[in-house]
Amino acid sequence: MSATTTVARRPASGTLAEVVDIILDKGLVIDAYVRVSLVGIELLTVDVRVVVASVDTYLHFAEATNRLDLRGQAEEHDSDLQDLIGGMAGAKTEGALDAAGDKAEGALASGREKVKAVFGQDDDEEQED
Amino acid sequence: MPTVVHGVGWTSRMRAPTVGPHRLVQEGELSAIVSDVEEPEVLPTRLALRTHRDALDLERLDGTVVPLRFGTVLADDAQVRRELLAANAPAWHATLDRLAGHVELRLRGTFDEPELLRHLVATDRRIARLRGRRGRELELGEQVVAAIDRQREEVSSTLERSLAPVCADLHLDPPAEPLDAATVSCLVSDQQRAAFERAVDDLGARVGPVVSFELIGPLPPFSFAELAEVPA
């Protein structure tokens, strides 16, 4: 674990997905103090607050921990190992764990991913409205 | 026609936009960067979000701007001049004075799942013991989530400790996803910028590879845009 990590620089003019939370969620709110009669304001919050401590999350991390390759090799080895373990496990247990795993995956593909799906990577082809 | 207000700045330091749907509404020393909208309601479409983002693009602006919340709509330009700018002029000036020469930089740390789990198995005996035990999955998961919470606390305080000396203000955003390590928004002055960037690189080297970092910005001070209280 001695490898260093370089910090990825994301300019604000990059993809919308990287700044959408701040654009929607922050900025000065015209309120009672700023005596202005507003015609409209969308007080939106990016509702990506997932329940971090849920059974689905527990099962996801349990499964991920159990199939961890401790030799520290690339991730594809993890899935090999999972196949191997899956092949050896009883059919009933395997099915139950898979179902739990799928559910957890669903829960984890939460807010930010959805936002990314909506706004996509290429910012330049919007024709809506 | 309703006017969408994106931000407020000093007239002397704002350039009239040459491209895009934005224009400036001027009231003496203060100007608002605005765009037009048919309906007095701005829905968060990609186009509307881009319009707001681009209005506040630091590369197009000349100086400091106070970003307003997305979707702020006033009846017309006259109301922008009279009610928004003129009526609150002292507060705008105080706010702009506070934010002048500062940008917002946002550091987002995300756990690398395999690296994190390897680290936890190697350092947490309960997790190591429960790993691979049939029927103990829920217990294992609970221990892992609790350990991730502790890691998150640790990363957050490391970020706060390392960045507080090189920025004017900072705050932490709550985690949104199970693998979010910490997100911190920092108000950084021009003079602090180089030291801040060094501190960020240093964090990347120190906390990695369990956490991978993204530095988003420079942005106008979205997270620090509060109108100053000026005694009447």
Side-chain angles (χ1 to χ4, degrees):
Chain A
M1 296 226 182
S2 57
T4 57
T5 315
T6 50
V7 176
R9 255 70 175 180
R10 311 264 185 244
S13 52
T15 64
L16 205 48
E18 268 143 17
V19 290
V20 70
D21 51 347
I22 196 161
I23 285 178
L24 272 179
D25 225 6
K26 312 274 171 145
L28 190 142
V29 178
I30 303 290
D31 55 18
Y33 180 70
V34 193
R35 292 171 299 275
V36 175
S37 33
L38 279 182
V39 173
I41 184 165
E42 289 289 314
L43 280 186
L44 299 156
T45 51
V46 182
D47 198 12
V48 291
R49 314 275 181 264
V50 298
V51 183
V52 172
S54 71
V55 169
D56 283 347
T57 316
Y58 295 157
L59 290 176
H60 166 82
F61 282 121
E63 196 246 357
T65 307
N66 280 336
R67 72 180 153 87
L68 199 64
D69 181 355
L70 287 183
R71 290 165 302 173
Q73 287 167 7
E75 266 220 83
E76 52 260 32
H77 294 280
D78 287 359
S79 52
D80 289 349
L81 189 66
Q82 189 189 13
D83 291 345
L84 193 65
I85 293 166
M88 292 190 297
K92 201 175 165 192
T93 316
E94 186 190 347
L97 278 180
D98 279 355
D102 289 347
K103 235 175 130 187
E105 291 289 343
L108 287 169
S110 64
R112 191 171 294 154
E113 293 310 312
K114 280 181 201 153
V115 166
K116 275 195 179 137
V118 173
F119 297 108
Q121 292 303 315
D122 51 336
D123 259 1
D124 292 317
E125 34 100 64
E126 69 237 349
Q127 299 296 328
E128 83 258 48
D129 291 335
Chain B
M1 191 188 265
T3 304
V4 184
V5 189
H6 303 288
V8 172
W10 282 305
T11 303
S12 60
R13 306 269 291 272
M14 279 177 101
R15 252 183 320 196
T18 49
V19 287
H22 313 108
R23 36 190 198 85
L24 295 179
V25 170
Q26 192 186 329
E27 173 64 34
E29 289 179 88
L30 295 167
S31 284
I33 182 154
V34 305
S35 60
D36 298 307
V37 69
E38 299 285 333
E39 298 292 320
E41 184 189 36
V42 184
L43 294 172
T45 60
R46 182 150 85 162
L47 184 68
L49 286 166
R50 249 181 79 107
T51 302
H52 190 57
R53 193 263 314 256
D54 291 350
L56 300 167
D57 183 352
L58 288 174
E59 281 169 28
R60 300 185 200 191
L61 296 161
D62 215 4
T64 308
V65 71
V66 183
L68 264 56
R69 182 66 66 93
F70 174 82
T72 304
V73 188
L74 273 66
D76 51 28
D77 286 5
Q79 202 198 7
V80 173
R81 276 193 294 271
R82 216 174 40 239
E83 287 191 40
L84 185 69
L85 300 178
N88 299 287
W92 286 121
H93 283 295
T95 306
L96 283 161
D97 280 336
R98 175 171 65 90
L99 297 175
H102 291 77
V103 291
E104 175 166 343
L105 287 154
R106 200 165 152 83
L107 187 65
R108 184 153 68 202
T110 311
F111 289 119
D112 178 291
E113 190 177 274
E115 291 284 359
L116 171 68
L117 296 179
R118 264 184 217 114
H119 174 71
L120 295 182
V121 171
T123 55
D124 191 311
R125 284 166 64 193
R126 272 168 307 184
I127 290 173
R129 220 170 37 233
L130 286 167
R131 194 173 102 90
R133 299 268 293 271
R134 193 86 55 82
R136 307 286 290 274
E137 288 83 5
L138 212 52
E139 213 179 320
L140 171 61
E142 254 178 292
Q143 291 296 331
V144 171
V145 167
I148 294 174
D149 283 343
R150 289 193 293 273
Q151 288 280 318
R152 196 178 279 128
E153 297 279 314
E154 215 174 287
V155 174
S156 297
S157 62
T158 303
L159 255 60
E160 214 167 349
R161 260 200 324 274
S162 312
L163 298 179
V166 286
C167 68
D169 200 354
L170 94 176
H171 56 72
L172 289 158
D173 282 357
E177 296 183 41
L179 288 173
D180 280 357
T183 302
V184 59
S185 287
C186 301
L187 185 67
V188 181
S189 74
D190 296 341
Q191 293 79 20
Q192 290 169 321
R193 185 67 184 275
F196 181 86
E197 298 271 350
R198 278 196 303 276
V200 164
D201 284 328
D202 178 52
L203 273 172
R206 217 148 31 95
V207 185
V210 171
V211 180
S212 61
F213 287 107
E214 288 173 293
L215 185 65
I216 299 148
L219 295 152
F222 275 100
S223 304
F224 305 92
E226 269 171 53
L227 203 58
E229 301 243 357
V230 176

